[in-house]
mmCIF file with all atom_site columns, all heavy atoms in Angstrom:
data_model
loop_
_atom_site.group_PDB
_atom_site.id
_atom_site.type_symbol
_atom_site.label_atom_id
_atom_site.label_alt_id
_atom_site.label_comp_id
_atom_site.label_asym_id
_atom_site.label_entity_id
_atom_site.label_seq_id
_atom_site.pdbx_PDB_ins_code
_atom_site.Cartn_x
_atom_site.Cartn_y
_atom_site.Cartn_z
_atom_site.occupancy
_atom_site.B_iso_or_equiv
_atom_site.pdbx_formal_charge
_atom_site.auth_seq_id
_atom_site.auth_comp_id
_atom_site.auth_asym_id
_atom_site.auth_atom_id
_atom_site.pdbx_PDB_model_num
ATOM 1   N N   . PRO A 1 50 ? -23.265 -3.695  -24.375 1.00 85.00 ? 244 PRO A N   1
ATOM 2   C CA  . PRO A 1 50 ? -22.896 -5.120  -24.375 1.00 85.00 ? 244 PRO A CA  1
ATOM 3   C C   . PRO A 1 50 ? -21.430 -5.274  -24.737 1.00 85.00 ? 244 PRO A C   1
ATOM 4   O O   . PRO A 1 50 ? -20.717 -6.128  -24.160 1.00 85.00 ? 244 PRO A O   1
ATOM 5   C CB  . PRO A 1 50 ? -23.771 -5.738  -25.442 1.00 85.00 ? 244 PRO A CB  1
ATOM 6   C CG  . PRO A 1 50 ? -25.033 -4.913  -25.334 1.00 85.00 ? 244 PRO A CG  1
ATOM 7   C CD  . PRO A 1 50 ? -24.560 -3.520  -25.109 1.00 85.00 ? 244 PRO A CD  1
ATOM 8   N N   . ILE A 1 51 ? -20.890 -4.415  -25.612 1.00 85.00 ? 245 ILE A N   1
ATOM 9   C CA  . ILE A 1 51 ? -19.448 -4.540  -26.004 1.00 85.00 ? 245 ILE A CA  1
ATOM 10  C C   . ILE A 1 51 ? -18.639 -4.137  -24.776 1.00 85.00 ? 245 ILE A C   1
ATOM 11  O O   . ILE A 1 51 ? -17.667 -4.740  -24.458 1.00 85.00 ? 245 ILE A O   1
ATOM 12  C CB  . ILE A 1 51 ? -19.172 -3.658  -27.260 1.00 85.00 ? 245 ILE A CB  1
ATOM 13  C CG1 . ILE A 1 51 ? -19.819 -4.264  -28.460 1.00 85.00 ? 245 ILE A CG1 1
ATOM 14  C CG2 . ILE A 1 51 ? -17.702 -3.507  -27.458 1.00 85.00 ? 245 ILE A CG2 1
ATOM 15  C CD1 . ILE A 1 51 ? -19.529 -3.546  -29.752 1.00 85.00 ? 245 ILE A CD1 1
ATOM 16  N N   . GLN A 1 52 ? -18.997 -3.017  -24.170 1.00 87.00 ? 246 GLN A N   1
ATOM 17  C CA  . GLN A 1 52 ? -18.221 -2.569  -22.956 1.00 87.00 ? 246 GLN A CA  1
ATOM 18  C C   . GLN A 1 52 ? -18.189 -3.594  -21.914 1.00 87.00 ? 246 GLN A C   1
ATOM 19  O O   . GLN A 1 52 ? -17.174 -3.939  -21.338 1.00 87.00 ? 246 GLN A O   1
ATOM 20  C CB  . GLN A 1 52 ? -18.808 -1.263  -22.450 1.00 87.00 ? 246 GLN A CB  1
ATOM 21  C CG  . GLN A 1 52 ? -18.039 -0.632  -21.343 1.00 87.00 ? 246 GLN A CG  1
ATOM 22  C CD  . GLN A 1 52 ? -18.720 0.575   -20.765 1.00 87.00 ? 246 GLN A CD  1
ATOM 23  O OE1 . GLN A 1 52 ? -19.885 0.545   -20.451 1.00 87.00 ? 246 GLN A OE1 1
ATOM 24  N NE2 . GLN A 1 52 ? -17.921 1.623   -20.626 1.00 87.00 ? 246 GLN A NE2 1
ATOM 25  N N   . ASP A 1 53 ? -19.337 -4.188  -21.687 1.00 89.00 ? 247 ASP A N   1
ATOM 26  C CA  . ASP A 1 53 ? -19.512 -5.233  -20.595 1.00 89.00 ? 247 ASP A CA  1
ATOM 27  C C   . ASP A 1 53 ? -18.703 -6.523  -20.991 1.00 89.00 ? 247 ASP A C   1
ATOM 28  O O   . ASP A 1 53 ? -18.063 -7.128  -20.099 1.00 89.00 ? 247 ASP A O   1
ATOM 29  C CB  . ASP A 1 53 ? -20.982 -5.655  -20.425 1.00 89.00 ? 247 ASP A CB  1
ATOM 30  C CG  . ASP A 1 53 ? -21.816 -4.476  -19.756 1.00 89.00 ? 247 ASP A CG  1
ATOM 31  O OD1 . ASP A 1 53 ? -21.180 -3.568  -19.271 1.00 89.00 ? 247 ASP A OD1 1
ATOM 32  O OD2 . ASP A 1 53 ? -23.065 -4.584  -19.905 1.00 89.00 ? 247 ASP A OD2 1
ATOM 33  N N   . SER A 1 54 ? -18.709 -6.834  -22.289 1.00 89.00 ? 248 SER A N   1
ATOM 34  C CA  . SER A 1 54 ? -17.922 -7.985  -22.751 1.00 89.00 ? 248 SER A CA  1
ATOM 35  C C   . SER A 1 54 ? -16.414 -7.813  -22.494 1.00 89.00 ? 248 SER A C   1
ATOM 36  O O   . SER A 1 54 ? -15.794 -8.719  -21.961 1.00 89.00 ? 248 SER A O   1
ATOM 37  C CB  . SER A 1 54 ? -18.240 -8.246  -24.217 1.00 89.00 ? 248 SER A CB  1
ATOM 38  O OG  . SER A 1 54 ? -17.386 -9.304  -24.741 1.00 89.00 ? 248 SER A OG  1
ATOM 39  N N   . ILE A 1 55 ? -15.945 -6.648  -22.828 1.00 91.00 ? 249 ILE A N   1
ATOM 40  C CA  . ILE A 1 55 ? -14.530 -6.349  -22.631 1.00 91.00 ? 249 ILE A CA  1
ATOM 41  C C   . ILE A 1 55 ? -14.174 -6.329  -21.176 1.00 91.00 ? 249 ILE A C   1
ATOM 42  O O   . ILE A 1 55 ? -13.164 -6.861  -20.752 1.00 91.00 ? 249 ILE A O   1
ATOM 43  C CB  . ILE A 1 55 ? -14.164 -4.997  -23.275 1.00 91.00 ? 249 ILE A CB  1
ATOM 44  C CG1 . ILE A 1 55 ? -14.348 -5.101  -24.804 1.00 91.00 ? 249 ILE A CG1 1
ATOM 45  C CG2 . ILE A 1 55 ? -12.716 -4.574  -22.929 1.00 91.00 ? 249 ILE A CG2 1
ATOM 46  C CD1 . ILE A 1 55 ? -14.117 -3.766  -25.509 1.00 91.00 ? 249 ILE A CD1 1
ATOM 47  N N   . THR A 1 56 ? -15.024 -5.658  -20.381 1.00 92.00 ? 250 THR A N   1
ATOM 48  C CA  . THR A 1 56 ? -14.729 -5.620  -18.888 1.00 92.00 ? 250 THR A CA  1
ATOM 49  C C   . THR A 1 56 ? -14.758 -6.988  -18.274 1.00 92.00 ? 250 THR A C   1
ATOM 50  O O   . THR A 1 56 ? -13.859 -7.290  -17.461 1.00 92.00 ? 250 THR A O   1
ATOM 51  C CB  . THR A 1 56 ? -15.837 -4.681  -18.232 1.00 92.00 ? 250 THR A CB  1
ATOM 52  O OG1 . THR A 1 56 ? -15.707 -3.340  -18.736 1.00 92.00 ? 250 THR A OG1 1
ATOM 53  C CG2 . THR A 1 56 ? -15.566 -4.651  -16.748 1.00 92.00 ? 250 THR A CG2 1
ATOM 54  N N   . ASN A 1 57 ? -15.757 -7.728  -18.622 1.00 93.00 ? 251 ASN A N   1
ATOM 55  C CA  . ASN A 1 57 ? -15.789 -9.128  -18.042 1.00 93.00 ? 251 ASN A CA  1
ATOM 56  C C   . ASN A 1 57 ? -14.668 -9.991  -18.432 1.00 93.00 ? 251 ASN A C   1
ATOM 57  O O   . ASN A 1 57 ? -14.065 -10.706 -17.602 1.00 93.00 ? 251 ASN A O   1
ATOM 58  C CB  . ASN A 1 57 ? -17.135 -9.798  -18.356 1.00 93.00 ? 251 ASN A CB  1
ATOM 59  C CG  . ASN A 1 57 ? -18.370 -9.070  -17.818 1.00 93.00 ? 251 ASN A CG  1
ATOM 60  O OD1 . ASN A 1 57 ? -18.231 -8.440  -16.782 1.00 93.00 ? 251 ASN A OD1 1
ATOM 61  N ND2 . ASN A 1 57 ? -19.496 -9.306  -18.437 1.00 93.00 ? 251 ASN A ND2 1
ATOM 62  N N   . CYS A 1 58 ? -14.255 -9.932  -19.716 1.00 93.00 ? 252 CYS A N   1
ATOM 63  C CA  . CYS A 1 58 ? -13.134 -10.718 -20.163 1.00 93.00 ? 252 CYS A CA  1
ATOM 64  C C   . CYS A 1 58 ? -11.803 -10.255 -19.555 1.00 93.00 ? 252 CYS A C   1
ATOM 65  O O   . CYS A 1 58 ? -11.033 -11.126 -19.117 1.00 93.00 ? 252 CYS A O   1
ATOM 66  C CB  . CYS A 1 58 ? -13.057 -10.530 -21.670 1.00 93.00 ? 252 CYS A CB  1
ATOM 67  S SG  . CYS A 1 58 ? -11.696 -11.508 -22.471 1.00 93.00 ? 252 CYS A SG  1
ATOM 68  N N   . LEU A 1 59 ? -11.576 -8.970  -19.445 1.00 95.00 ? 253 LEU A N   1
ATOM 69  C CA  . LEU A 1 59 ? -10.408 -8.473  -18.821 1.00 95.00 ? 253 LEU A CA  1
ATOM 70  C C   . LEU A 1 59 ? -10.318 -8.874  -17.319 1.00 95.00 ? 253 LEU A C   1
ATOM 71  O O   . LEU A 1 59 ? -9.262  -9.203  -16.762 1.00 95.00 ? 253 LEU A O   1
ATOM 72  C CB  . LEU A 1 59 ? -10.230 -6.951  -18.899 1.00 95.00 ? 253 LEU A CB  1
ATOM 73  C CG  . LEU A 1 59 ? -9.875  -6.433  -20.283 1.00 95.00 ? 253 LEU A CG  1
ATOM 74  C CD1 . LEU A 1 59 ? -9.948  -4.905  -20.330 1.00 95.00 ? 253 LEU A CD1 1
ATOM 75  C CD2 . LEU A 1 59 ? -8.542  -6.909  -20.760 1.00 95.00 ? 253 LEU A CD2 1
ATOM 76  N N   . THR A 1 60 ? -11.506 -8.839  -16.635 1.00 96.00 ? 254 THR A N   1
ATOM 77  C CA  . THR A 1 60 ? -11.496 -9.230  -15.245 1.00 96.00 ? 254 THR A CA  1
ATOM 78  C C   . THR A 1 60 ? -11.174 -10.718 -15.067 1.00 96.00 ? 254 THR A C   1
ATOM 79  O O   . THR A 1 60 ? -10.379 -10.999 -14.207 1.00 96.00 ? 254 THR A O   1
ATOM 80  C CB  . THR A 1 60 ? -12.995 -9.029  -14.633 1.00 96.00 ? 254 THR A CB  1
ATOM 81  O OG1 . THR A 1 60 ? -13.280 -7.627  -14.796 1.00 96.00 ? 254 THR A OG1 1
ATOM 82  C CG2 . THR A 1 60 ? -13.074 -9.420  -13.220 1.00 96.00 ? 254 THR A CG2 1
ATOM 83  N N   . ARG A 1 61 ? -11.716 -11.595 -15.971 1.00 96.00 ? 255 ARG A N   1
ATOM 84  C CA  . ARG A 1 61 ? -11.325 -12.978 -15.853 1.00 96.00 ? 255 ARG A CA  1
ATOM 85  C C   . ARG A 1 61 ? -9.847  -13.189 -16.143 1.00 96.00 ? 255 ARG A C   1
ATOM 86  O O   . ARG A 1 61 ? -9.224  -13.989 -15.459 1.00 96.00 ? 255 ARG A O   1
ATOM 87  C CB  . ARG A 1 61 ? -12.155 -13.790 -16.875 1.00 96.00 ? 255 ARG A CB  1
ATOM 88  C CG  . ARG A 1 61 ? -13.572 -13.974 -16.538 1.00 96.00 ? 255 ARG A CG  1
ATOM 89  C CD  . ARG A 1 61 ? -14.279 -15.005 -17.425 1.00 96.00 ? 255 ARG A CD  1
ATOM 90  N NE  . ARG A 1 61 ? -14.141 -14.784 -18.853 1.00 96.00 ? 255 ARG A NE  1
ATOM 91  C CZ  . ARG A 1 61 ? -14.974 -14.052 -19.521 1.00 96.00 ? 255 ARG A CZ  1
ATOM 92  N NH1 . ARG A 1 61 ? -16.034 -13.485 -18.972 1.00 96.00 ? 255 ARG A NH1 1
ATOM 93  N NH2 . ARG A 1 61 ? -14.799 -13.927 -20.841 1.00 96.00 ? 255 ARG A NH2 1
ATOM 94  N N   . THR A 1 62 ? -9.356  -12.497 -17.150 1.00 96.00 ? 256 THR A N   1
ATOM 95  C CA  . THR A 1 62 ? -7.967  -12.682 -17.500 1.00 96.00 ? 256 THR A CA  1
ATOM 96  C C   . THR A 1 62 ? -6.994  -12.191 -16.378 1.00 96.00 ? 256 THR A C   1
ATOM 97  O O   . THR A 1 62 ? -5.992  -12.913 -16.022 1.00 96.00 ? 256 THR A O   1
ATOM 98  C CB  . THR A 1 62 ? -7.583  -11.887 -18.823 1.00 96.00 ? 256 THR A CB  1
ATOM 99  O OG1 . THR A 1 62 ? -8.541  -12.279 -19.796 1.00 96.00 ? 256 THR A OG1 1
ATOM 100 C CG2 . THR A 1 62 ? -6.211  -12.190 -19.250 1.00 96.00 ? 256 THR A CG2 1
ATOM 101 N N   . LEU A 1 63 ? -7.316  -11.089 -15.788 1.00 96.00 ? 257 LEU A N   1
ATOM 102 C CA  . LEU A 1 63 ? -6.600  -10.567 -14.643 1.00 96.00 ? 257 LEU A CA  1
ATOM 103 C C   . LEU A 1 63 ? -6.607  -11.504 -13.517 1.00 96.00 ? 257 LEU A C   1
ATOM 104 O O   . LEU A 1 63 ? -5.600  -11.811 -12.816 1.00 96.00 ? 257 LEU A O   1
ATOM 105 C CB  . LEU A 1 63 ? -7.106  -9.188  -14.241 1.00 96.00 ? 257 LEU A CB  1
ATOM 106 C CG  . LEU A 1 63 ? -6.403  -8.491  -13.027 1.00 96.00 ? 257 LEU A CG  1
ATOM 107 C CD1 . LEU A 1 63 ? -4.948  -8.260  -13.259 1.00 96.00 ? 257 LEU A CD1 1
ATOM 108 C CD2 . LEU A 1 63 ? -7.132  -7.175  -12.642 1.00 96.00 ? 257 LEU A CD2 1
ATOM 109 N N   . ASP A 1 64 ? -7.751  -12.066 -13.177 1.00 96.00 ? 258 ASP A N   1
ATOM 110 C CA  . ASP A 1 64 ? -7.937  -13.002 -12.038 1.00 96.00 ? 258 ASP A CA  1
ATOM 111 C C   . ASP A 1 64 ? -7.093  -14.269 -12.360 1.00 96.00 ? 258 ASP A C   1
ATOM 112 O O   . ASP A 1 64 ? -6.456  -14.830 -11.419 1.00 96.00 ? 258 ASP A O   1
ATOM 113 C CB  . ASP A 1 64 ? -9.445  -13.384 -11.935 1.00 96.00 ? 258 ASP A CB  1
ATOM 114 C CG  . ASP A 1 64 ? -9.688  -14.146 -10.690 1.00 96.00 ? 258 ASP A CG  1
ATOM 115 O OD1 . ASP A 1 64 ? -9.292  -13.737 -9.612  1.00 96.00 ? 258 ASP A OD1 1
ATOM 116 O OD2 . ASP A 1 64 ? -10.299 -15.259 -10.804 1.00 96.00 ? 258 ASP A OD2 1
ATOM 117 N N   . GLU A 1 65 ? -7.060  -14.736 -13.597 1.00 95.00 ? 259 GLU A N   1
ATOM 118 C CA  . GLU A 1 65 ? -6.279  -15.889 -13.919 1.00 95.00 ? 259 GLU A CA  1
ATOM 119 C C   . GLU A 1 65 ? -4.781  -15.627 -13.667 1.00 95.00 ? 259 GLU A C   1
ATOM 120 O O   . GLU A 1 65 ? -4.019  -16.444 -13.206 1.00 95.00 ? 259 GLU A O   1
ATOM 121 C CB  . GLU A 1 65 ? -6.519  -16.322 -15.408 1.00 95.00 ? 259 GLU A CB  1
ATOM 122 C CG  . GLU A 1 65 ? -7.915  -16.848 -15.626 1.00 95.00 ? 259 GLU A CG  1
ATOM 123 C CD  . GLU A 1 65 ? -8.261  -17.010 -17.159 1.00 95.00 ? 259 GLU A CD  1
ATOM 124 O OE1 . GLU A 1 65 ? -7.436  -16.603 -17.898 1.00 95.00 ? 259 GLU A OE1 1
ATOM 125 O OE2 . GLU A 1 65 ? -9.364  -17.412 -17.446 1.00 95.00 ? 259 GLU A OE2 1
ATOM 126 N N   . GLY A 1 66 ? -4.372  -14.416 -14.135 1.00 95.00 ? 260 GLY A N   1
ATOM 127 C CA  . GLY A 1 66 ? -2.954  -14.119 -14.004 1.00 95.00 ? 260 GLY A CA  1
ATOM 128 C C   . GLY A 1 66 ? -2.553  -13.937 -12.533 1.00 95.00 ? 260 GLY A C   1
ATOM 129 O O   . GLY A 1 66 ? -1.458  -14.455 -12.072 1.00 95.00 ? 260 GLY A O   1
ATOM 130 N N   . VAL A 1 67 ? -3.402  -13.418 -11.700 1.00 95.00 ? 261 VAL A N   1
ATOM 131 C CA  . VAL A 1 67 ? -3.133  -13.285 -10.285 1.00 95.00 ? 261 VAL A CA  1
ATOM 132 C C   . VAL A 1 67 ? -3.068  -14.667 -9.662  1.00 95.00 ? 261 VAL A C   1
ATOM 133 O O   . VAL A 1 67 ? -2.187  -14.987 -8.786  1.00 95.00 ? 261 VAL A O   1
ATOM 134 C CB  . VAL A 1 67 ? -4.218  -12.449 -9.567  1.00 95.00 ? 261 VAL A CB  1
ATOM 135 C CG1 . VAL A 1 67 ? -4.110  -12.537 -8.055  1.00 95.00 ? 261 VAL A CG1 1
ATOM 136 C CG2 . VAL A 1 67 ? -4.159  -11.004 -10.000 1.00 95.00 ? 261 VAL A CG2 1
ATOM 137 N N   . GLU A 1 68 ? -3.914  -15.591 -10.068 1.00 93.00 ? 262 GLU A N   1
ATOM 138 C CA  . GLU A 1 68 ? -3.888  -16.983 -9.506  1.00 93.00 ? 262 GLU A CA  1
ATOM 139 C C   . GLU A 1 68 ? -2.644  -17.694 -9.911  1.00 93.00 ? 262 GLU A C   1
ATOM 140 O O   . GLU A 1 68 ? -2.075  -18.462 -9.129  1.00 93.00 ? 262 GLU A O   1
ATOM 141 C CB  . GLU A 1 68 ? -5.123  -17.718 -10.042 1.00 93.00 ? 262 GLU A CB  1
ATOM 142 C CG  . GLU A 1 68 ? -5.291  -19.104 -9.450  1.00 93.00 ? 262 GLU A CG  1
ATOM 143 C CD  . GLU A 1 68 ? -5.504  -19.151 -8.007  1.00 93.00 ? 262 GLU A CD  1
ATOM 144 O OE1 . GLU A 1 68 ? -6.058  -18.052 -7.430  1.00 93.00 ? 262 GLU A OE1 1
ATOM 145 O OE2 . GLU A 1 68 ? -5.130  -20.137 -7.340  1.00 93.00 ? 262 GLU A OE2 1
ATOM 146 N N   . ILE A 1 69 ? -2.148  -17.437 -11.113 1.00 90.00 ? 263 ILE A N   1
ATOM 147 C CA  . ILE A 1 69 ? -0.876  -18.032 -11.561 1.00 90.00 ? 263 ILE A CA  1
ATOM 148 C C   . ILE A 1 69 ? 0.249   -17.552 -10.655 1.00 90.00 ? 263 ILE A C   1
ATOM 149 O O   . ILE A 1 69 ? 1.161   -18.311 -10.327 1.00 90.00 ? 263 ILE A O   1
ATOM 150 C CB  . ILE A 1 69 ? -0.558  -17.778 -13.010 1.00 90.00 ? 263 ILE A CB  1
ATOM 151 C CG1 . ILE A 1 69 ? -1.674  -18.519 -13.887 1.00 90.00 ? 263 ILE A CG1 1
ATOM 152 C CG2 . ILE A 1 69 ? 0.809   -18.290 -13.394 1.00 90.00 ? 263 ILE A CG2 1
ATOM 153 C CD1 . ILE A 1 69 ? -1.587  -18.215 -15.383 1.00 90.00 ? 263 ILE A CD1 1
ATOM 154 N N   . LEU A 1 70 ? 0.272   -16.202 -10.387 1.00 90.00 ? 264 LEU A N   1
ATOM 155 C CA  . LEU A 1 70 ? 1.308   -15.671 -9.517  1.00 90.00 ? 264 LEU A CA  1
ATOM 156 C C   . LEU A 1 70 ? 1.244   -16.369 -8.161  1.00 90.00 ? 264 LEU A C   1
ATOM 157 O O   . LEU A 1 70 ? 2.322   -16.616 -7.573  1.00 90.00 ? 264 LEU A O   1
ATOM 158 C CB  . LEU A 1 70 ? 1.090   -14.179 -9.365  1.00 90.00 ? 264 LEU A CB  1
ATOM 159 C CG  . LEU A 1 70 ? 1.525   -13.261 -10.555 1.00 90.00 ? 264 LEU A CG  1
ATOM 160 C CD1 . LEU A 1 70 ? 1.188   -11.809 -10.219 1.00 90.00 ? 264 LEU A CD1 1
ATOM 161 C CD2 . LEU A 1 70 ? 3.083   -13.465 -10.824 1.00 90.00 ? 264 LEU A CD2 1
ATOM 162 N N   . ASN A 1 71 ? 0.073   -16.498 -7.603  1.00 88.00 ? 265 ASN A N   1
ATOM 163 C CA  . ASN A 1 71 ? -0.104  -17.143 -6.240  1.00 88.00 ? 265 ASN A CA  1
ATOM 164 C C   . ASN A 1 71 ? 0.430   -18.544 -6.317  1.00 88.00 ? 265 ASN A C   1
ATOM 165 O O   . ASN A 1 71 ? 1.091   -18.996 -5.321  1.00 88.00 ? 265 ASN A O   1
ATOM 166 C CB  . ASN A 1 71 ? -1.594  -17.125 -5.938  1.00 88.00 ? 265 ASN A CB  1
ATOM 167 C CG  . ASN A 1 71 ? -2.032  -15.863 -5.318  1.00 88.00 ? 265 ASN A CG  1
ATOM 168 O OD1 . ASN A 1 71 ? -1.327  -15.176 -4.674  1.00 88.00 ? 265 ASN A OD1 1
ATOM 169 N ND2 . ASN A 1 71 ? -3.286  -15.465 -5.582  1.00 88.00 ? 265 ASN A ND2 1
ATOM 170 N N   . GLN A 1 72 ? 0.194   -19.318 -7.390  1.00 84.00 ? 266 GLN A N   1
ATOM 171 C CA  . GLN A 1 72 ? 0.563   -20.700 -7.458  1.00 84.00 ? 266 GLN A CA  1
ATOM 172 C C   . GLN A 1 72 ? 2.077   -20.866 -7.692  1.00 84.00 ? 266 GLN A C   1
ATOM 173 O O   . GLN A 1 72 ? 2.703   -21.851 -7.240  1.00 84.00 ? 266 GLN A O   1
ATOM 174 C CB  . GLN A 1 72 ? -0.212  -21.444 -8.510  1.00 84.00 ? 266 GLN A CB  1
ATOM 175 C CG  . GLN A 1 72 ? -1.683  -21.595 -8.266  1.00 84.00 ? 266 GLN A CG  1
ATOM 176 C CD  . GLN A 1 72 ? -2.415  -22.250 -9.393  1.00 84.00 ? 266 GLN A CD  1
ATOM 177 O OE1 . GLN A 1 72 ? -1.937  -22.372 -10.469 1.00 84.00 ? 266 GLN A OE1 1
ATOM 178 N NE2 . GLN A 1 72 ? -3.645  -22.667 -9.082  1.00 84.00 ? 266 GLN A NE2 1
ATOM 179 N N   . GLN A 1 73 ? 2.704   -19.975 -8.458  1.00 85.00 ? 267 GLN A N   1
ATOM 180 C CA  . GLN A 1 73 ? 4.075   -20.163 -8.946  1.00 85.00 ? 267 GLN A CA  1
ATOM 181 C C   . GLN A 1 73 ? 5.099   -19.288 -8.207  1.00 85.00 ? 267 GLN A C   1
ATOM 182 O O   . GLN A 1 73 ? 6.161   -19.013 -8.805  1.00 85.00 ? 267 GLN A O   1
ATOM 183 C CB  . GLN A 1 73 ? 4.091   -19.982 -10.422 1.00 85.00 ? 267 GLN A CB  1
ATOM 184 C CG  . GLN A 1 73 ? 3.272   -20.990 -11.223 1.00 85.00 ? 267 GLN A CG  1
ATOM 185 C CD  . GLN A 1 73 ? 3.360   -20.859 -12.655 1.00 85.00 ? 267 GLN A CD  1
ATOM 186 O OE1 . GLN A 1 73 ? 2.841   -21.703 -13.445 1.00 85.00 ? 267 GLN A OE1 1
ATOM 187 N NE2 . GLN A 1 73 ? 4.060   -19.868 -13.139 1.00 85.00 ? 267 GLN A NE2 1
#
Side-chain angles (χ1 to χ4, degrees):
I245 291 183
Q246 184 184 51
D247 292 342
S248 174
I249 294 173
T250 299
N251 293 336
C252 181
L253 286 176
T254 301
R255 288 194 303 271
T256 307
L257 178 60
D258 190 53
E259 291 168 358
V261 171
E262 185 61 28
I263 295 174
L264 282 179
N265 278 324
Q266 292 178 347
Q267 297 185 173

